[in-house]
Amino acid sequence: MTRLFNDPAAFADEALEGFTAAHRRWVRPVTGGVVRATATPAGQVAVVIGGGSGHYPAFSGLVGRGLAHGAAVGNVFASPSARQIHSVATAAHVGGGVLLMYGNYAGDVLHFGQAAERLAADGIEARTFAVADDISSAGPEESAKRRGIAGDLPVFKAAAAAAEQGLPLEEVLRVAERAGARTRSFGIAFSGCTLPGADHPLFTVPAARMAVGLGIHGEPGIGEEALPTADEAARLLVETLLKELPEDVADPAGQRAAVILNGLGSVKYEELFVVYRRVAALLGDAGVEIVDPEVGELVTSFDMAGISLTLTWLDDRLEELWRAPADTPAYRKGALDAAEPDLDRASVTAAGQDTAVPAAPVVPAASDASRRAAGTVLATLDAVARVVDAHADELGRIDAVAGDGDHGIGMRRGSTAAHRAAAGAHGLGAGAGTVLTRAADAWADKAGGTSGALWGTILRSLGTALGDREAPDAARVAEGVTEASAAVRQLGGAEVGDKTMVDVLVPFADALAAATGEGLPLADAWDRAATTATAAAAGTADLLPRRGRARPHAEKSLGTPDAGAHSLALITRAVHGALLDHH
């Protein structure tokens, strides 16, 4: 378990602070993560990677020459927000455009996609690429739905080495696509991981058993088998991966492969070496030539006891890129000339901290009516934070049935930050719209992950609808909720029946619109819609998930409501209470 921490909510920030203090030769801190401390040639494509904390050396440990130009770092097991990614990418950009790379998880896809749109709006050319190497998370016919695990490293490295060679953005992207298409991973676990401050692991494995096909966020495996010997584990890993070759590889014999035997947190290096001796022998028996193997911790999951095997099937070009030198805090290969420090950072002290004094926060002008309404908005956000805090453990338990168990933690971080930001804006005299949009940004930044992106979208849609000029009436609020429903579906791609929060948001929005259309006051209309939301959330227990981290464990979730749907229903009821108090 994770034993050394202060405030669990501050763990990720404090870990990143310590990491940058320890590795100033390679990295410097920027808002949202880190970038190279060494100079990058003007016009070079910037490869910016990222994901949640808890996976070190991914992602911050892979920043340096020959690998990433920057890493956006989210909270524990939660993707960084679009604002964080945008900040890191802007700092890393040197004129050649940006390739954003990440593991294929819903939250990362949403946030990195939004960041790419913001970069484009700034005039910075940006592309995205999601690594999807975990063969246990979807079949070959649905390979685009697979998770990204330790295959991140060879794919990131191929793209970064191509960028170092001065290739343009589109060619660097094609290299990433080629490497991703030829990378496969498979893993097993013997125990789950325990997050900072938690008193139990996200999942458990029965004695003398192992979980097969694990994720790196504490997701349970897709099955269980008897605990193997080291040689039996090696055989399972190798034989499973050799059953699925890239389309242009007919036979493993005569092929070259980059091989990574990855420890997930608490399997000791000596144990990995015992397994690798057999992995190497089995691949040799199959006629595979191993190129520059890596054995160690490359993508971890806190203290999870588990291992994964990754094969990247090489051609001449990919082998050149795999062998290329790199110099980062956690991954070094070959030799590079002495690095030139990046001196173009006048606002950074020798301690690596920004010294520029932030401008005093300002808010747009607002009418008296909107400022009064902002008080009600603040009260509702306080109610949201309180109900989430009260049910955070319950939400985590629901999420852990088929997911990674962090929904309650993320919702608590997001709702608390949103209320704090809203209170600050309200104190400056902001109107209802600005209070909501400040809360939206704070929720997305602090929660990260899918829920952060979606709740940021919900609050921003409401804020846009309410604005700062007029007193929002029931019809305007209902219009904002309807727009939020449409925005969430467009952003996440989910529809009713996929077992997500959309299964509650859509009927809630429809019921609220219908009730306000009948002329009901807002509190009464919201009460009716909240009742609809509660029923809809309960109904998700009968659905099989078709999206998100729960999808590979669909059958396990039958009988349990979706955590995001349940939290939304709780929130709608809590907001009704706040509306009654401020009626």
Side-chain angles (χ1 to χ4, degrees), residues 36 40-47 69 92-97 160 163-167:
R36 292 183 187 180
T40 300
Q44 187 175 111
V45 172
V47 174
H69 296 74
H93 180 243
V94 289
E164 293 280 5
Q165 293 176 349
L167 297 183

Side-chain angles (χ1 to χ4, degrees), residues 188-190 208-212 225-238 261 267 270-279 282 306-307:
I188 56 177
F190 317 110
R209 304 285 288 177
M210 69 172 175
V212 177
E225 294 185 12
L227 189 67
T229 64
D231 284 359
E232 290 168 344
R235 182 171 295 278
L236 173 64
L237 294 171
V238 171
L261 184 63
V267 174
E270 287 86 348
E271 295 175 89
L272 292 173
F273 292 138
V274 171
V275 174
Y276 183 74
R277 54 175 271 288
R278 188 59 181 156
V279 167
L282 291 168
I307 59 176

Side-chain angles (χ1 to χ4, degrees), residues 11-350:
F11 183 87
D13 290 340
E14 292 181 349
L16 186 63
E17 181 183 350
F19 165 77
T20 56
H23 296 293
R24 292 173 187 157
R25 168 184 156 191
W26 291 275
V27 301
R28 63 180 177 91
V30 296
T31 300
V34 296
V35 296
R36 292 183 187 180
T38 54
T40 300
Q44 187 175 111
V45 172
V47 174
V48 174
I49 63 176
S53 299
H55 304 304
Y56 190 84
F59 296 87
S60 54
L62 303 179
V63 174
R65 292 189 300 156
L67 241 162
H69 296 74
V73 182
N75 263 306
V76 174
F77 290 0
S79 68
S81 71
R83 286 212 304 177
Q84 291 172 307
I85 300 162
H86 176 267
S87 170
V88 173
T90 300
H93 180 243
V94 289
V98 178
L99 177 59
L100 303 174
M101 302 186 71
Y102 46 92
N104 190 31
Y105 296 90
D108 294 281
V109 172
L110 294 179
H111 286 292
F112 277 89
Q114 288 179 323
E117 293 174 356
R118 295 185 186 185
L119 290 168
D122 293 344
I124 298 175
E125 193 174 8
R127 300 289 184 273
T128 64
F129 184 78
V131 181
D133 57 303
D134 177 20
I135 67 171
S136 69
S137 53
E141 70 284 353
E142 293 185 308
S143 59
K145 295 181 179 180
R146 288 176 169 172
R147 302 177 290 211
I149 50 176
D152 283 354
L153 174 61
V155 182
F156 291 169
K157 188 175 186 304
E164 293 280 5
Q165 293 176 349
L167 297 183
L169 180 58
E170 292 301 332
E171 291 188 33
V172 174
L173 175 58
R174 281 195 289 272
V175 166
E177 292 169 343
R178 175 71 170 166
R182 294 173 72 88
T183 299
R184 308 283 189 277
S185 298
F186 182 70
I188 56 177
F190 317 110
S191 71
C193 57
T194 305
L195 302 184
D199 57 6
H200 59 276
L202 292 177
F203 73 91
T204 57
V205 181
R209 304 285 288 177
M210 69 172 175
V212 177
L214 59 106
I216 59 168
H217 299 93
E219 305 97 325
I222 59 173
E224 288 182 4
E225 294 185 12
L227 189 67
T229 64
D231 284 359
E232 290 168 344
R235 182 171 295 278
L236 173 64
L237 294 171
V238 171
E239 290 183 348
T240 301
L241 289 180
L242 291 184
K243 289 176 183 176
E244 187 188 316
L245 302 173
E247 291 182 0
D248 55 352
V249 176
D251 190 314
Q255 298 293 326
R256 293 161 290 166
V259 178
I260 298 174
L261 184 63
N262 176 60
L264 282 149
S266 64
V267 174
K268 302 306 294 181
Y269 272 64
E270 287 86 348
E271 295 175 89
L272 292 173
F273 292 138
V274 171
V275 174
Y276 183 74
R277 54 175 271 288
R278 188 59 181 156
V279 167
L282 291 168
L283 289 172
D285 291 344
V288 178
E289 177 186 347
I290 298 173
V291 178
D292 283 4
E294 297 285 349
V295 179
E297 294 183 347
L298 283 310
V299 180
T300 61
S301 184
F302 274 111
D303 61 333
M304 183 185 289
I307 59 176
S308 64
L309 181 65
T310 296
L311 301 180
T312 297
W313 298 94
L314 302 172
D315 55 21
D316 290 345
R317 179 68 172 130
L318 290 178
E319 180 173 347
E320 174 194 3
L321 299 171
W322 176 241
R323 289 184 182 274
D327 184 26
T328 77
Y331 184 87
R332 297 162 206 170
K333 177 179 286 190
L336 289 163
D337 295 335
E340 293 292 332
D342 184 0
L343 300 177
D344 188 22
R345 47 192 177 103
S347 66
V348 178
T349 69

